[in-house]
Amino acid sequence: MSRPPLLLPLTLALAAVLPTAAHAADARKAAITVGDTPLIPRTALFGNPVKAGAQLSPDGQWLSWMAPVNGVMNVWVAPADKPDAAKAVTDSKDRPIPGHFWSGNSEQLLFVKDNAGDENFRLYGVDVKTGAQRDYTPFDKVRVRMIGGSRKRVDEVLVGINNRDPRWHDVHQLNLKTGELKLVMKGDGFAGFETDDDLQVRLGARPNAAGGTDYFQVKDGAVADKPFLSTSLEDNATGPIGYTADGKTLYWRDSRDRDTTAVFAEDTATGKRTLIAQDARADLGQTLRNTATGEVQAYAVDYLTTEWHFVDKTLKADFDWLQKQLGKGEVFVSSRTRADDKWIVGIDPVSKVSATYLYDRKAKKLSPLYVARPELQNAPLVPMHAVEITSRDGLTLPSYLTLPSGADKNADGKAEQAVPMVLLVHGGPWGRDGYGYNGTHQWLANRGYAVLSVNFRASTGFGKKFLNAGNKQWGLAMHDDLIDAVNWAVKQGVTSADKVAIMGGSYGGYAALAGLTFTPTTFACAVDIVGPSNLETLLGTIPPYWEAGKKQMYSRMGDPTTDDGKAILRAASPLYKADQIVRPLLIGQGANDPRVKQAESDQIVQAMQAKNIPVTYVLYPDEGHGFAKPNNRIGFNAIAETFLGNCLGGRVEPLGETVRASTAQIAHGADFLPGLKAAAEKK
């Protein structure tokens, strides 16, 4: 249930925080001179794709993908040799199904679905031949977790269910044909498990007092008395990748005695380890493995861009052939049959629309399946450029810059004129930005903005020194990295210091709030999407099933159970500096968000109200941590586009019916954004 709209006195000091009409006009003039490229409709960028997420059944008899049914993304199935005979096998009417995967027996399609964004996912299955659907985990306020599948026991999977204790996922054996659930072992204290091809739990991972992980051998559900491997917080990126089919080899990613994680093969009988791959630039762990044996065939190095390296030369020959056929871009393989004779493949050309194909390896034949967003085929998409930015203390920040076509006519990544810029900050913060097609980058660049995404310290994938440099640095060195990136962009002639906005979701939303509170005049405006404002209340309200990760979060952010930790968290919380805000702020929030509760947005809005500081606050009663429904995604981006246009002067597609078509509740500040109040009123 959503909360009632927040009330606000009508007497507000607008001049202090909103751009004047003259300022907005000057900014708009600067942006429009970038070029007169066609405006890409928001619906083409953020609406439902025509098709997406294609998969092959393990036996190669079936194709499946996601596609709309009455405007809601559902699962479709077709015979592999007759893609045009596809039919929908699910009928979700209220919320998109986030994805799907095949059972080992190729008879059931499996998918998870929550309720209005609450992330209490249930596991469902559909019998491909009969269309019968089954709820395998019919429990309220429970989140299912996939633990293991098998090439041998194809009618069964192992799932984690936290219905006994919401903090821990007990391991259950699920029979996909009968729906029978059988308890294998309780999960008390464990963050996760590793299973083999016989569906035996072999390893258990338990958080330790050092903020790292202890790994225990498990046999017949019994856990060893002592761990055989332990890590500290510094090396917590270390962990298992998976067993080979015969269970004799366990692959690991491991950062101990090195900076970046390397891939090792461990002989499970002797414990001997063999180095498979390493790279000084980036953490390794993404692999392609033999569909029959489970042996590593290739590994990816993802530093600025993704580079595949091949252990198996036959696999390399396939990739080389596909590259020649598909052209420039990163070739990707999203699905393989168990016989490995057919693949689902595609290519990411970044500034062109990607297509998805069925690849017959033996016949060396590519059969087109679909273009996910055909509306973009003739759209003026622009390149993304990988850049390295140096922080004030010498760290290299791998980053991604997208420029409007008029500001970079030869597409070399060097700005020919300064334009307004949006600093787009990723979530996590223990995640990363990467190279490839990015709808948000394309949208903002099309509106006349340069877009910069920065992998700041604490981002994952760049080694433990880079990751751990962010420990307890929320609002401090992590924020400095973002400021250093802005200064770099100004120095490079990308933008000017007075025309930079900051925008992001989750941690990126926090960064937007920090930008306006810790450095009040650095950014012209900010867009916060589901961002925490008070780190104490954030950690106090995390979902119970995050229990295993609490110690690590405390170690990386500040421990709320200690006085020193509370002081760190309070100092890093934008809420307590809300009175410092002097620039426009837009907030978007899902009412059912289990990670960053609605209260995180409510409380900073209330603090701004108390000081008569304007803020526009948009609440979605049927969303969680981000906006999954296309009408809400399009609607909020329409509001954000209008907001940025008013602040920075970029091009704006009219609001039209987008806000009315969404479930948006303008909880506060509709009058602060031109046209929003009228656009939001229901007819």
Side-chain angles (χ1 to χ4, degrees):
M1 181 180 296
S2 62
R3 301 183 184 188
L6 298 173
L7 302 177
L8 177 73
L10 298 178
T11 54
L12 297 174
L14 297 180
V17 295
L18 292 179
T20 64
H23 175 86
D26 289 344
R28 186 169 289 107
K29 182 178 178 181
I32 289 174
T33 59
V34 166
D36 198 20
T37 57
L39 203 71
I40 304 174
R42 285 184 297 265
T43 53
L45 291 160
F46 303 114
N48 283 328
V50 173
K51 298 175 184 176
Q55 298 287 310
L56 278 161
S57 61
D59 65 7
Q61 298 302 304
W62 300 96
L63 279 169
S64 60
W65 54 70
M66 308 299 301
V69 175
N70 297 322
V72 180
M73 293 299 283
N74 275 276
V75 185
W76 292 62
V77 176
D81 57 351
K82 296 179 181 178
D84 292 339
K87 61 179 181 180
V89 295
T90 62
D91 189 24
S92 179
K93 293 180 172 62
D94 60 330
R95 189 169 182 81
I97 292 173
H100 71 284
F101 55 101
W102 281 92
S103 63
N105 60 22
S106 299
E107 296 177 12
Q108 290 90 17
L109 268 168
L110 307 175
F111 65 94
V112 295
K113 190 172 181 291
D114 69 350
N115 180 36
D118 64 6
E119 298 188 17
N120 289 322
F121 290 105
R122 293 186 181 187
L123 176 66
Y124 298 85
V126 179
D127 186 292
V128 178
K129 292 182 179 179
T130 68
Q133 182 171 308
R134 184 194 296 266
D135 181 353
Y136 286 121
T137 55
F139 310 111
D140 292 330
K141 297 182 179 179
V142 166
R143 178 187 175 100
V144 68
R145 177 182 295 171
M146 290 302 300
I147 291 179
S150 171
R151 302 168 186 83
K152 300 175 183 177
R153 298 171 63 175
V154 295
D155 294 333
E156 299 167 319
V157 293
L158 293 179
V159 296
I161 308 175
N162 61 334
N163 58 335
R164 180 183 59 85
D165 184 328
R167 298 173 299 169
W168 312 111
H169 283 76
D170 296 336
V171 182
H172 291 77
Q173 180 180 301
L174 168 64
N175 186 300
L176 296 171
K177 289 190 172 182
T178 67
E180 179 187 7
L181 282 168
K182 178 182 178 182
L183 180 65
V184 174
M185 64 177 291
K186 292 183 178 180
D188 293 325
F190 285 94
F193 300 93
E194 197 68 33
T195 65
D196 64 17
D197 222 35
D198 292 312
L199 288 185
Q200 299 299 307
V201 178
R202 299 272 295 271
L203 286 183
R206 181 181 290 166
N208 60 35
T213 303
D214 292 334
Y215 291 94
F216 294 83
Q217 301 282 3
V218 180
K219 187 173 182 179
D220 298 327
V223 181
D225 293 334
K226 296 181 179 179
F228 71 92
L229 186 154
S230 295
T231 67
S232 64
L233 177 69
E234 182 183 46
D235 285 307
N236 216 28
T238 297
I241 297 172
Y243 289 94
T244 52
D246 59 13
K248 295 180 179 180
T249 301
L250 175 60
Y251 292 109
W252 290 82
R253 59 185 181 275
D254 200 330
S255 66
R256 294 174 300 164
D257 302 318
R258 58 184 63 241
D259 183 41
T260 56
T261 57
V263 177
F264 290 87
E266 177 185 310
D267 185 312
T268 56
T270 66
K272 180 182 178 181
R273 288 192 171 200
T274 303
L275 177 67
I276 301 295
Q278 62 181 332
D279 193 287
R281 300 169 298 166
D283 292 326
L284 305 188
Q286 183 182 1
T287 61
L288 289 174
R289 296 168 61 189
N290 188 290
T291 56
T293 68
E295 294 177 348
V296 169
Q297 295 176 296
Y299 61 91
V301 178
D302 189 359
Y303 177 56
L304 291 176
T305 60
T306 303
E307 308 162 10
W308 280 100
H309 298 261
F310 297 90
V311 178
D312 186 323
K313 302 305 179 187
T314 60
L315 209 67
K316 183 179 189 305
D318 283 291
F319 269 72
D320 289 344
W321 186 85
L322 288 168
Q323 194 79 64
K324 289 179 182 178
Q325 301 301 311
L326 298 177
K328 186 179 180 181
E330 180 195 341
V331 172
F332 59 86
V333 179
S334 58
S335 182
R336 301 160 72 180
T337 59
R338 184 165 292 134
D340 212 20
D341 56 346
K342 293 182 177 66
W343 295 354
I344 300 292
V345 303
I347 193 160
D348 183 358
V350 183
S351 58
K352 295 181 181 178
V353 178
S354 63
T356 298
Y357 302 83
L358 176 62
Y359 171 46
D360 186 321
R361 293 185 75 195
K362 293 179 180 179
K364 280 290 189 287
K365 179 183 177 182
L366 279 172
S367 301
L369 289 178
Y370 57 79
V371 173
R373 296 187 181 276
E375 319 97 294
L376 296 179
Q377 285 184 306
N378 297 313
L381 304 179
V382 292
M384 172 184 279
H385 302 278
V387 296
E388 294 179 316
I389 298 171
T390 303
S391 72
R392 65 190 67 182
D393 60 352
L395 281 183
T396 299
L397 312 175
S399 304
Y400 302 95
L401 175 68
T402 301
L403 295 168
S405 57
D408 182 19
K409 293 179 181 178
N410 63 358
D412 66 351
K414 306 294 183 183
E416 294 158 12
Q417 64 170 298
V419 295
M421 187 179 87
V422 177
L423 182 68
L424 188 63
V425 186
H426 71 69
W430 307 292
R432 62 161 291 174
D433 281 309
Y435 182 80
Y437 171 81
N438 186 304
T440 304
H441 271 242
Q442 295 291 346
W443 164 52
L444 294 171
N446 182 257
R447 281 12 181 201
Y449 306 118
V451 191
L452 182 61
S453 292
V454 182
N455 285 306
F456 47 88
R457 71 192 67 208
S459 300
T460 55
F462 306 101
K464 63 188 182 187
K465 177 183 176 183
F466 194 87
L467 170 65
N468 292 305
N471 291 347
K472 298 178 182 175
Q473 293 299 310
W474 287 49
L476 299 171
M478 291 164 69
H479 188 63
D480 289 344
D481 288 347
L482 299 177
I483 302 302
D484 292 345
V486 170
N487 293 337
W488 172 89
V490 172
K491 187 176 180 180
Q492 294 293 317
V494 170
T495 190
S496 53
D498 61 337
K499 290 185 173 62
V500 180
I502 183 169
M503 176 177 176
S506 196
Y507 177 85
Y510 163 85
L513 296 177
L516 294 198
T517 52
F518 300 152
T519 50
T521 59
T522 296
F523 297 99
C525 54
V527 180
D528 154 33
I529 305 167
V530 296
S533 64
N534 182 342
L535 301 189
E536 286 185 86
T537 53
L538 172 72
L539 291 178
T541 57
I542 58 175
Y545 47 83
W546 284 19
E547 181 70 24
K550 277 173 60 172
K551 179 60 181 177
Q552 184 180 162
M553 293 182 73
Y554 290 178
S555 299
R556 295 200 186 280
M557 295 175 63
D559 188 342
T561 67
T562 69
D563 290 340
D564 287 346
K566 286 180 181 178
I568 291 170
L569 294 169
R570 187 180 181 90
S573 296
L575 175 65
Y576 300 111
K577 293 183 175 63
D579 61 344
Q580 301 296 309
I581 296 175
V582 294
R583 296 290 166 83
L585 173 61
L586 169 65
I587 296 176
Q589 177 70 46
N592 304 313
D593 191 340
R595 309 184 194 191
V596 179
K597 302 288 189 181
Q598 180 184 330
E600 292 299 319
S601 293
D602 286 353
Q603 58 190 332
I604 196 164
V605 170
Q606 291 165 349
M608 294 174 70
Q609 283 181 278
K611 296 293 184 180
N612 287 342
I613 302 172
V615 56
T616 300
Y617 179 23
V618 186
L619 181 67
Y620 292 86
D622 55 351
E623 294 284 10
H625 197 61
F627 311 133
K629 293 186 174 183
N631 58 322
N632 291 338
R633 192 165 56 243
I634 293 168
F636 183 79
N637 285 349
I639 295 170
E641 184 175 314
T642 302
F643 175 82
L644 291 170
N646 194 56
C647 172
L648 296 178
R651 303 191 304 171
V652 177
E653 180 184 356
L655 286 168
E657 296 296 312
T658 57
V659 183
R660 288 192 191 98
S662 74
T663 62
Q665 297 175 357
I666 313 302
H668 182 68
D671 292 328
F672 304 148
L673 196 56
L676 178 57
K677 186 174 182 179
E681 290 176 346
K682 305 296 181 183
K683 290 183 178 179

